DNA sequence: CCTTACTTTGTAATTTGATTACAAAGTAGA
DNA sequence: TCTACTTTGTAATCAAATTACAAAGTAAGG
C-alpha cells in the first residue's frame, strides 16, 4: 500500500456506506470505484486489492479513535472522570463515522485477522483502558480488580458492542442513542449490577 | 436451504476451523468440501452457496447457546445466581465449539446482516439477559438499572467480546481462559468499578 | 420385484469479478 | 526540458463460484 494522499483518503470514505451495507466481500471493486469517485486503476495503483482499501479505512478510523480516547484520558481529572470521557470520546468518534464503524463491525473478523489492524485495535482500546484502570486504583476512584487486562477487555466489549449495535441499528438517531448508551454503559460499569446497600 | 440431515451437519463442523481461520470469503468451496468430506455438488444440493453454509453453522451454534443459556436461567435460584450460570453456560458452549465461535466473531458482520441470524443472536443472548435483569430487580438480588435493554446489550458485549477474544487468541488454553474470564466478567458486572465503601 | 421420488455425487460448462498488463497523458521539481 | 512519479483508460488474464446435467444409489409403497 502506497502512501495515501489526504484527498484520496477523503474520497475513499465515500465508499464506506457501501462497504458497510454489503460487506467488503460483496462490494464489487467497480462499485467502490463509483461510490468513491476513484477510478479502478487508481485504486489498484495505491492498494493491493479490495481488502487493503478496507484495511486502510479501518486503520484510519482506529487511529482517530485512539487519538481521541488518548486525549480524553490525558486530560487532568480523576480516573473515574477520565473513564467517562474516554467512553464519550469513543462513542463520539463512532458517531462521526457511522459508516466506517459499521464496516468495522461488519468485518471485525477480517480486522482481527490482519495483524496491523489487530495491533491498532489493541492500542486504540485495550491499552489505554487497562492503564486507566490501574491509575484509578492509585488515585482511589476505581476499585482494584483482580485482572485489569480482562477487565479492560470486558470494558472494551461493553462499549464497542453497545456502541456499534446502535450505529448499525439506526444511523439516523445515532446522536441521542450515543448519549443514552454512554449513560447506560458508564452506569453499568461503575456501579455494577449488585445492589449497594 | 434444504432440511439438513444430522449426519451432514456433523460433517460440516469439520470445516469450521478452516472457515474460522480464513474467513468465509477466503475459504474456497473446494476447501470446505475437502475439510468436511462433503462433495461440492452435495453442498450445492443443500445450500444456495458458501454463505448459507456459514449461516447454517452459526445458526446451529446460536441455537445451542440459546438452549444452554435458557436452561441455566430457568434453574431455581436467585437472579444473581442465574446470571452467573448463564455466563458460565455461554462460555461453556463457546468452549465446546471454539472453531464455530471463531467463525462467528470473524463473520459477525455477515451474521448481523442476515436477518435470521440477527434474530437468533437476539433470542440467544439479548432477550434472556434482559429478562433476567428484570427478574433480579424483583427478587432484590440485582440493582434496578434505568435501561435494562441497553444494560443487557452491554452485558452481552462484555461476555461475547471477552469470551470470543479468548477463543481466538489461544484455542489450546481455552478451558482455563474461560474459567478466568467468567470470574472477571461476573466480578466486573456485579461489583462495578467504583469502590464500595 | 418394480416404480417413483428423492438423494448423492461427478464432470463439464458458464459467469462473475478481481487482478494484472500496458500505454497514454498529466504534473511537478531539478 | 528531462525525469520520475501519478493518474487513468482499456484490454487481457485468472480464479472461483455457481449452474447444468446426468448417472447412480436408496428407500418406501404397492
Amino acid at each position: 500500500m502506497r502512501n495515501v494522499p489526504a484527498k484520496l483518503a477523503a474520497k475513499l470514505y465515500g465508499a464506506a456506506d457501501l462497504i458497510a451495507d454489503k460487506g467488503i466481500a460483496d462490494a464489487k471493486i467497480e462499485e467502490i470505484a463509483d461510490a468513491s469517485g476513484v477510478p479502478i486503476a487508481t485504486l489498484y495503483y495505491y492498494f493491493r486489492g479490495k481488502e487493503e482499501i478496507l484495511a486502510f479505512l479501518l486503520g484510519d478510523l482506529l487511529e482517530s479513535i485512539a487519538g481521541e480516547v488518548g486525549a480524553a484520558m490525558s486530560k487532568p481529572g480523576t480516573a473515574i472522570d477520565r473513564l467517562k470521557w474516554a467512553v464519550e470520546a469513543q462513542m463520539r468518534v463512532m458517531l462521526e463515522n457511522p459508516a466506517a464503524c459499521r464496516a468495522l463491525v461488519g468485518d471485525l473478523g477480517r480486522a482481527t485477522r490482519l495483524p496491523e489492524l489487530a495491533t491498532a485495535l489493541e492500542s486504540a482500546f485495550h491499552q489505554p483502558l487497562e492503564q486507566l484502570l490501574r491509575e484509578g486504583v492509585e488515585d482511589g476512584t476505581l476499585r482494584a480488580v483482580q485482572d485489569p487486562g480482562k477487565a479492560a477487555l470486558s470494558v472494551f466489549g461493553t462499549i464497542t458492542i453497545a456502541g456499534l449495535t446502535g450505529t448499525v441499528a439506526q444511523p439516523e438517531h445515532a446522536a441521542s442513542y450515543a448519549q443514552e448508551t454512554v449513560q447506560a454503559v458508564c452506569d453499568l460499569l461503575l456501579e455494577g449490577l449488585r445492589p449497594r446497600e
Side-chain angles (χ1 to χ4, degrees), chain A residues 50-64:
Chain A
K50 283 201 306 184
E51 313 277 297
E52 226 180 52
I53 298 174
L54 177 64
F56 168 76
L57 283 174
L58 298 189
D60 207 49
L61 175 68
L62 287 174
E63 210 173 293
S64 52

Side-chain angles (χ1 to χ4, degrees), chain A residues 174-185:
Chain A
S176 61
Y177 183 94
Q179 191 51 70
E180 293 160 21
T181 303
V182 169
Q183 275 296 313
V185 166

Side-chain angles (χ1 to χ4, degrees), chain A residues 60-72 93 120-121 123-125 128:
Chain A
D60 207 49
L61 175 68
L62 287 174
E63 210 173 293
S64 52
I65 291 180
E68 295 285 319
V69 169
V93 179
L121 261 172
S123 70
F125 296 93

Side-chain angles (χ1 to χ4, degrees), chain A residues 66 69-70 73 118-135 148-149 152-153 156:
Chain A
V69 169
M73 276 188 36
T119 309
L121 261 172
E122 181 74 15
S123 70
F125 296 93
H126 298 196
Q127 284 175 7
L129 272 173
E130 188 168 342
Q131 200 197 332
L132 188 58
L133 291 183
R134 294 183 196 283
E135 289 173 7
L153 183 59
F156 163 68

Side-chain angles (χ1 to χ4, degrees), chain A residues 182-197:
Chain A
V182 169
Q183 275 296 313
V185 166
C186 286
D187 179 61
L188 174 68
L189 290 177
L190 292 177
E191 307 303 334
L193 288 170
R194 192 194 295 283
R196 300 196 176 231
E197 68 294 336

Side-chain angles (χ1 to χ4, degrees), chain A residues 1 3 11 18 25 27 44 51 56 74 78 83 99 102 104 113 118 120 123 129 135 137 145-146 148 151 178-179 182:
Chain A
M1 167 160 41
N3 180 28
K11 283 187 180 179
L18 171 75
Y44 277 104
E51 313 277 297
F56 168 76
S74 52
T78 63
L83 177 58
R102 286 193 299 141
L104 179 58
R113 264 179 225 115
S123 70
L129 272 173
E135 289 173 7
V137 175
V145 292
Q146 21 17 0
Q179 191 51 70
V182 169

